[in-house]
Amino acid sequence: MTETGAQLLARLEARRGLRDIEPRLFPGDGGPERGEVVELYGLEGTGKTELLYHLLCRCVLPVAAGGLEVDVVFVDTDFSLDVPRLVSILEHRLSAALSTGSSLAGSEEAELRSCLSRLLVVHCSSSSQLLLTLHFLETSFSSRPGLSLLLIDSISAFYWPDRCEGGASVAKQEEKLSKCSELLGRLLRDYRITVFATCHAIRRSYRSSAPSPGPSSCPAPSSSSSSSSECDRPYLCRPWQRLVSHRLLCSRGAAGNNMAAAEQRRRQVFTVRCTSSSSSSSSSSSSSKTKAHRSSSFYVTDGGVVFI
């Protein structure tokens, strides 16, 4: 069976947008548009994974349970996907929906199976495999309009192996991730998907007076503010940085005023600062980018992320 270009365009335009995936995270009037990239960036232990699971669950849950009911591809490059944890969050969300009288189509077990059927998990152990996986997934993006979100955990997983393999040449070090980024850019344009990707923070030396020793492990969160700002700086290749429209900087934070003192002592609070960039065209041919910011806080329970 063949289809015209107009039919293909209509099918791809039917792909669900994710602007309302989590209004408490993004500035302005909504989250990412179709064809945009969101980067979750931060040190280990700053809530990135739990936040990613929260967004994943929001996508695969049925509308009656507060979800978007869309298909998701999860590319696991760290081999760290905790399926029991993901199932636990889904069970809590479905149970809460049933307890409030939501009209789910089936039993809790049936709805859980339906949620998991919307999730495709792919494992990659090198940047070359990641590139091949993105080529392979193009068929799925083309044939499945319900497939709206691509999650990559994490996009920085192969930074050090690629750096070692590339030797002294920065171009060689960044070659594979640059190719992945360029392919992702085409997939975003052609299929209007949304991409969420985690990125591990590292520290770099930016002093111009001495040769740069290259990245090293990031200091603990209790280190000085100058060291923390070094951790906040993007370090992946420029083709990837150009793709990112929303950057969620995750860190350990203090609780808000509306959280009880006992609760503050019992739970670790995490802070997310979102920076969103949007292109605005002036009367000239050049275009500039305007930035908006929003900060939010959350803590983690057995049932997932709870915003404060």
Side-chain angles (χ1 to χ4, degrees):
M1 180 179 178
T2 59
E3 62 181 346
T4 65
Q7 289 172 326
L8 174 62
L9 180 62
R11 178 160 55 82
L12 296 179
E13 284 297 316
R15 178 163 280 133
R16 173 72 183 267
L18 303 180
R19 283 183 59 80
D20 51 350
I21 186 172
E22 183 45 80
R24 291 164 291 191
L25 278 178
F26 299 94
D29 57 353
E33 300 278 3
R34 288 179 298 176
E36 290 188 338
V37 174
V38 180
E39 183 184 73
L40 289 78
Y41 185 93
L43 295 166
E44 184 178 355
T46 53
K48 297 190 304 298
T49 299
E50 286 290 338
L51 188 57
L52 194 70
Y53 289 171
H54 171 76
L55 297 170
L56 171 55
C57 290
R58 280 274 291 153
C59 286
V60 300
L61 280 167
V63 175
L68 303 179
E69 208 166 327
V70 297
D71 295 348
V72 177
V73 174
F74 191 111
V75 179
D76 184 11
T77 59
D78 285 330
F79 287 79
S80 58
L81 176 60
D82 190 345
V83 176
R85 173 60 179 157
L86 183 62
V87 170
S88 175
I89 298 173
L90 288 170
E91 287 177 337
H92 276 83
R93 300 290 168 86
L94 291 171
S95 179
L98 286 171
S99 66
T100 57
S102 298
S103 55
L104 297 177
S107 65
E108 183 177 332
E109 182 178 353
E111 289 294 340
L112 176 60
R113 291 181 180 274
S114 180
C115 290
L116 295 176
S117 71
R118 299 186 188 105
L119 175 63
L120 172 64
V121 179
V122 183
H123 298 282
C124 296
S125 58
S126 68
S127 51
S128 297
Q129 280 193 5
L130 177 59
L131 182 60
L132 291 173
T133 296
L134 293 175
H135 278 291
F136 170 77
L137 289 174
E138 183 169 5
T139 302
S140 298
F141 295 140
S142 175
S143 61
R144 296 172 57 183
L147 182 52
S148 298
L149 178 62
L150 171 63
L151 293 177
I152 304 176
D153 186 28
S154 70
I155 193 65
S156 59
F158 311 121
Y159 175 81
W160 290 110
D162 288 347
R163 184 177 174 85
C164 293
E165 187 177 324
S169 170
V170 175
K172 286 290 186 182
Q173 294 171 13
E174 298 182 343
E175 181 180 15
K176 293 178 181 177
L177 183 57
S178 295
K179 289 181 178 179
C180 291
S181 302
E182 290 163 3
L183 177 55
L184 266 176
R186 183 174 65 78
L187 296 177
L188 290 166
R189 290 190 303 271
D190 292 352
Y191 302 105
R192 309 300 291 168
I193 58 172
T194 305
V195 174
F196 281 72
T198 61
C199 181
H200 302 307
I202 63 173
R203 178 168 55 86
R204 301 185 71 175
S205 172
Y206 290 92
R207 296 192 182 115
S208 57
S209 58
S212 172
S216 61
S217 298
C218 212
S222 59
S223 59
S224 66
S225 58
S226 60
S227 295
S228 297
S229 63
E230 287 179 353
C231 293
D232 298 348
R233 302 194 188 195
Y235 62 91
L236 296 180
C237 63
R238 290 194 179 276
W240 168 255
Q241 293 182 36
R242 285 194 292 265
L243 289 179
V244 176
S245 301
H246 308 270
R247 195 164 186 256
L248 304 180
L249 179 61
C250 302
S251 60
R252 292 173 179 262
N257 295 330
N258 57 341
M259 191 175 184
E263 195 76 1
Q264 293 184 30
R265 290 191 296 269
R266 191 163 64 91
R267 299 189 187 280
Q268 171 63 56
V269 175
F270 302 99
T271 299
V272 183
R273 178 173 171 81
C274 178
T275 301
S276 297
S277 304
S278 59
S279 298
S280 58
S281 300
S282 59
S283 56
S284 62
S285 59
S286 62
S287 62
S288 60
K289 284 197 171 186
T290 58
K291 291 188 176 182
H293 305 275
R294 178 169 184 172
S295 293
S296 52
S297 298
F298 66 89
Y299 59 91
V300 178
T301 69
D302 291 342
V305 163
V306 176
F307 284 90
I308 303 170

